[in-house]
């Protein structure tokens, strides 16, 4: 019987062990999509305890604890202590056998805190005290955590209306050894159906010093913000869409819909799709111009539990995988960009694992010489970044495209202790590739295999985004 999460955790062959220990493990990290707060990096934040570092804002953990019948007050409530929240996590975790949270949690305990004992109700107080003692030291301030994690670049998620003041501060004063750049996330500019759309347009107008009364003026103001983001080192956009669509309209119809949004009038589904399509088409021209990567995340049914949404708001662990057909929308949208000669580098992520093959074939229809793997299938995302989910995504990508050009893993996290997710991914990748070699499905050329592993772990990402780190 193997020891629990030992040095060869998830590595089932000699080839896999060599690929991981001699190649993947030594590679730095580029976290090209996450939701961490740049202010906490700039201020070199120190966490008051492990609950703040682990459970604050982590809807993965909240969802798991809820599934064990724990009252909400002991998960996100303001009338419970941090220790009570941590205790409920410790009680719930041992029942989550097979859940990546179990592995993530113990990788973090091992790599950051040197704790090898499993977290449970029995070990809760002991681990609480040990983690908190270390978190109180300078070694566990945010910049030190980043540095010891060998992270070379972090791309945060930022609205066009953000000032990027913390990125400016980090450009001048940063001891983490890590470059921090913004990523353009213009979801609010697309949500014309929302009652606060007019307020957002006014915010952009104030920020740019422009008067915005038409869609053309709004687009021009967004272009100005895009130029500023580019000057601040932005290399990627990120779009969260419910499903993939492509509904092209003329300028007159676009203006009519924009005015309805400013007046808070009802927007039909067709009008909503049309406006969002035109925003995406317009922005993609800028991405192509600046050489940015256009990331497209789709497939989530957001906040279906209306009762809890009213209490807790968005991003609190109540989302569901959607299953609307999207292959046609993906293909039509890339075709529209291609016809306009403004198809940027793109990464498509679906929350529905049933879309793996559809994405794998769609990206193959629009590749170009601008980059190896110009159009990518994104890593297993959100509900899919599990042991089996990663295997399925990489296997599908290998079946239908070129796995060696894959840009690899990201954390998509709000936690500074999540960088071990890159290790988790790399172990799974090395075991998958190693298994193919052991079964005689690929030559035992360790020099070339090692290069593939190092490329997927770091080099491909660095080249593809032009990060130059």
């Amino acid at each position: 019987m193997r020891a629990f999460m030992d040095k060869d955790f998830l590595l089932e062959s000699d080839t896999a062990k060599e690929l991981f220990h001699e190649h993947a493990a030594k590679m730095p990290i580029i976290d090209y999509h996450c939701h961490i707060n740049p202010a906490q990096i700039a201020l070199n934040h120190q966490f008051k305890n492990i609950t703040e570092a682990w459970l604050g804002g982590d809807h993965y953990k909240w969802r798991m604890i809820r599934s064990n019948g724990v009252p909400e007050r002991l998960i996100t409530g303001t009338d419970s202590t941090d220790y009570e929240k941590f205790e409920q996590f410790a009680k719930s975790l041992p029942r989550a056998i097979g859940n990546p949270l179990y592995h993530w949690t113990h990788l973090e305990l091992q790599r950051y805190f040197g704790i090898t004992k499993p977290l449970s109700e029995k070990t809760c107080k002991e681990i609480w005290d040990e983690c908190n003692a270390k978190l109180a030291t300078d070694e566990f301030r945010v910049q030190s955590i980043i540095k010891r994690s060998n992270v070379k670049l972090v791309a945060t998620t930022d609205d066009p209306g953000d000032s990027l003041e913390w990125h400016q501060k980090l450009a001048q004063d940063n001891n983490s050894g890590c470059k921090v750049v913004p990523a353009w996330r213009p979801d609010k500019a697309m949500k014309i159906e929302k009652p606060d759309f007019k307020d957002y347009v006014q915010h952009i107008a104030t920020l740019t010093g422009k008067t915005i009364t038409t869609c053309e003026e709004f687009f021009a103001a967004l272009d100005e913000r895009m130029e500023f983001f580019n000057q601040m080192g932005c290399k990627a956009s990120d779009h969260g869409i419910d499903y993939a669509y492509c509904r092209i309209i003329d300028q007159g119809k676009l203006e009519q819909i924009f005015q309805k949004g400013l007046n808070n009038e009802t927007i039909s589904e067709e009008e909503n799709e049309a406006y969002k399509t035109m925003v995406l088409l317009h922005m993609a021209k800028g991405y192509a111009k600046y050489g940015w990567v256009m990331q497209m995340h789709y497939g989530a049914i957001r906040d279906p539990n209306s009762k809890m949404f009213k209490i807790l708001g968005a991003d609190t662990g109540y989302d569901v995988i959607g299953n609307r057909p999207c292959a046609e929308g993906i293909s039509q949208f890339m075709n529209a960009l291609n016809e306009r000669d403004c198809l940027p580098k793109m990464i498509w992520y679906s929350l529905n694992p049933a879309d793996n093959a559809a994405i794998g074939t769609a990206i193959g229809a629009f590749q170009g010489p601008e980059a190896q793997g110009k159009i990518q299938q994104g890593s297993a995302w959100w509900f899919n970044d599990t042991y089996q989910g990663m295997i399925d995504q990489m296997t599908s990508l290998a079946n239908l495209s070129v796995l060696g050009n894959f840009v690899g893993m990201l954390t998509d996290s709000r936690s500074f202790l999540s960088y071990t997710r890159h290790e988790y991914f790399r172990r799974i990748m090395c075991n998958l590739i190693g298994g193919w070699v052991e079964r005689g499905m690929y030559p035992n050329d360790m020099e070339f295999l090692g290069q593939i592993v190092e490329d997927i772990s770091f080099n491909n990402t660095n080249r593809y985004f032009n990060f130059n780190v």
Side-chain angles (χ1 to χ4, degrees):
M1 180 183 294
R2 291 274 295 272
F4 171 64
M5 291 183 67
D6 64 4
K7 68 181 180 67
D8 292 328
F9 172 56
L10 300 180
L11 306 173
E12 301 172 328
S13 68
D14 290 340
T15 303
K17 292 173 186 177
E18 182 175 349
L19 288 174
F20 177 75
H21 293 300
E22 300 300 323
H23 297 279
K26 71 180 184 181
M27 299 306 292
I29 289 171
I30 291 178
D31 202 23
Y32 60 89
H33 174 67
C34 69
H35 298 276
I36 60 173
N37 185 348
Q40 290 186 317
I41 306 177
L43 297 171
N44 202 15
H45 181 74
Q46 186 159 38
F47 298 103
K48 62 180 180 180
N49 56 45
I50 189 62
T51 295
E52 182 192 1
W54 253 1
L55 301 178
D58 193 335
H59 55 80
Y60 284 86
K61 294 187 178 75
W62 295 346
R63 188 182 182 99
M64 186 273 290
I65 300 169
R66 285 185 196 117
S67 296
N68 279 281
V70 176
E72 192 64 33
R73 61 172 292 272
L74 295 173
I75 304 171
T76 61
T78 57
D79 61 342
S80 58
T81 66
D82 284 349
Y83 181 74
E84 287 175 319
K85 292 183 175 73
F86 181 76
E87 185 178 36
Q88 292 303 321
F89 178 56
K91 287 181 178 180
S92 300
L93 186 65
R95 302 192 68 83
I97 183 171
N99 191 309
L101 270 175
Y102 197 84
H103 294 151
W104 295 347
T105 296
H106 290 97
L107 279 174
E108 291 171 27
L109 285 174
Q110 289 183 16
R111 300 297 178 264
Y112 293 108
F113 301 98
I115 296 172
T116 57
K117 64 179 72 69
L119 177 62
S120 67
E121 185 175 4
K122 291 180 181 179
T123 61
C124 175
K125 184 60 167 61
E126 180 183 359
I127 290 177
W128 166 266
D129 290 338
E130 193 169 344
C131 288
N132 290 347
K134 291 183 177 180
L135 286 169
T137 67
D138 286 343
E139 186 182 356
F140 280 81
R141 287 183 176 273
V142 162
Q143 291 192 16
S144 295
I145 292 172
I146 292 173
K147 191 169 188 175
R148 69 187 295 187
S149 301
N150 200 17
V151 181
K152 296 303 181 186
L153 185 140
V154 166
T156 58
T157 303
D158 309 277
D159 186 88
D162 290 343
S163 68
L164 303 186
E165 59 183 300
W166 296 111
H167 293 84
Q168 292 174 317
K169 178 173 172 51
L170 283 164
Q172 300 167 352
D173 182 20
N174 181 2
N175 295 313
S176 68
C178 171
K179 189 175 181 180
V180 183
V181 298
W184 173 270
R185 176 82 176 221
D187 289 1
K188 292 180 181 178
M190 294 178 62
K191 293 183 178 179
I192 195 168
E193 77 281 8
K194 297 295 184 180
D196 59 354
F197 178 72
K198 180 178 181 179
D199 293 336
Y200 182 75
V201 173
Q202 183 55 53
H203 172 64
I204 295 297
T206 301
L207 195 61
T208 58
K210 297 181 180 297
T211 299
I212 299 177
T213 60
T214 67
C215 189
E216 185 176 2
E217 291 170 343
F218 185 44
F219 282 7
L222 291 173
D223 289 344
E224 183 175 315
R225 296 302 298 164
M226 193 184 297
E227 182 179 4
F228 171 62
F229 269 60
N230 190 62
Q231 292 170 356
M232 290 299 299
C234 181
K235 297 292 185 180
S237 70
D238 180 52
H239 297 270
I241 58 176
D242 295 335
Y243 56 94
Y245 42 73
C246 185
R247 190 181 292 271
I248 298 173
I249 55 176
D250 61 31
Q251 187 65 34
K253 181 60 178 176
L254 175 61
E255 186 60 42
Q256 291 176 16
I257 298 171
F258 183 76
Q259 293 302 323
K260 290 179 71 172
L262 289 184
N263 293 322
N264 200 21
E265 298 176 22
T266 300
I267 305 290
S268 70
E269 181 174 351
E270 291 77 11
E271 290 173 327
N272 202 355
E273 287 182 0
Y275 173 77
K276 288 177 167 61
T277 297
M278 301 311 291
V279 174
L280 290 169
L281 290 175
H282 176 82
M283 289 185 177
K285 295 177 184 177
Y287 308 156
K289 170 185 174 183
Y290 293 121
W292 291 5
V293 176
M294 185 177 192
Q295 298 180 89
M296 301 289 283
H297 288 85
Y298 76 91
I301 298 174
R302 306 273 182 177
D303 309 307
N305 188 331
S306 57
K307 181 178 179 180
M308 293 309 298
F309 176 72
K310 291 174 183 175
I311 297 172
L312 297 176
D315 302 321
T316 52
Y318 288 94
D319 302 309
V320 175
I321 291 174
N323 62 351
R324 295 184 67 158
C326 291
E328 188 173 358
I330 291 171
S331 301
Q332 290 179 350
F333 180 69
M334 286 197 288
N335 186 58
L337 291 173
N338 201 42
E339 287 189 333
R340 290 164 170 77
D341 296 320
C342 62
L343 177 64
K345 291 179 285 187
M346 294 187 75
I347 306 177
W348 287 93
Y349 310 78
S350 174
L351 198 57
N352 192 332
D355 286 356
N356 280 341
I359 293 177
T361 54
I363 65 175
F366 292 94
Q367 298 293 359
E370 296 86 351
Q372 289 180 308
K374 175 183 176 180
I375 313 298
Q376 294 261 342
Q377 178 183 8
S379 60
W381 171 48
W382 194 348
F383 293 129
N384 301 309
D385 55 3
T386 63
Y387 173 76
Q388 192 61 48
M390 292 185 198
I391 292 173
D392 291 345
Q393 184 269 342
M394 283 188 280
T395 301
S396 179
L397 182 60
N399 286 339
L400 299 168
S401 189
V402 182
L403 183 62
N405 293 335
F406 181 34
V407 293
M409 190 55 175
L410 45 84
T411 65
D412 192 27
S413 176
R414 292 168 173 79
S415 171
F416 289 95
L417 297 178
S418 292
Y419 297 117
T420 52
R421 295 183 192 179
H422 285 263
E423 177 185 339
Y424 191 55
F425 164 81
R426 292 175 185 183
R427 286 176 177 271
I428 293 168
M429 172 186 62
C430 289
N431 194 58
L432 180 65
I433 294 174
W436 290 337
V437 174
E438 294 278 339
R439 291 193 293 274
M441 297 170 65
Y442 194 89
N444 187 22
D445 181 347
M446 291 306 297
E447 181 178 359
F448 191 74
L449 288 164
Q451 187 63 59
I452 287 177
V453 165
E454 292 179 15
D455 285 347
I456 296 173
S457 298
F458 178 83
N459 297 328
N460 288 345
T461 307
N462 198 25
R463 286 192 294 260
Y464 184 73
F465 287 86
N466 294 320
F467 284 140
N468 299 315
V469 293

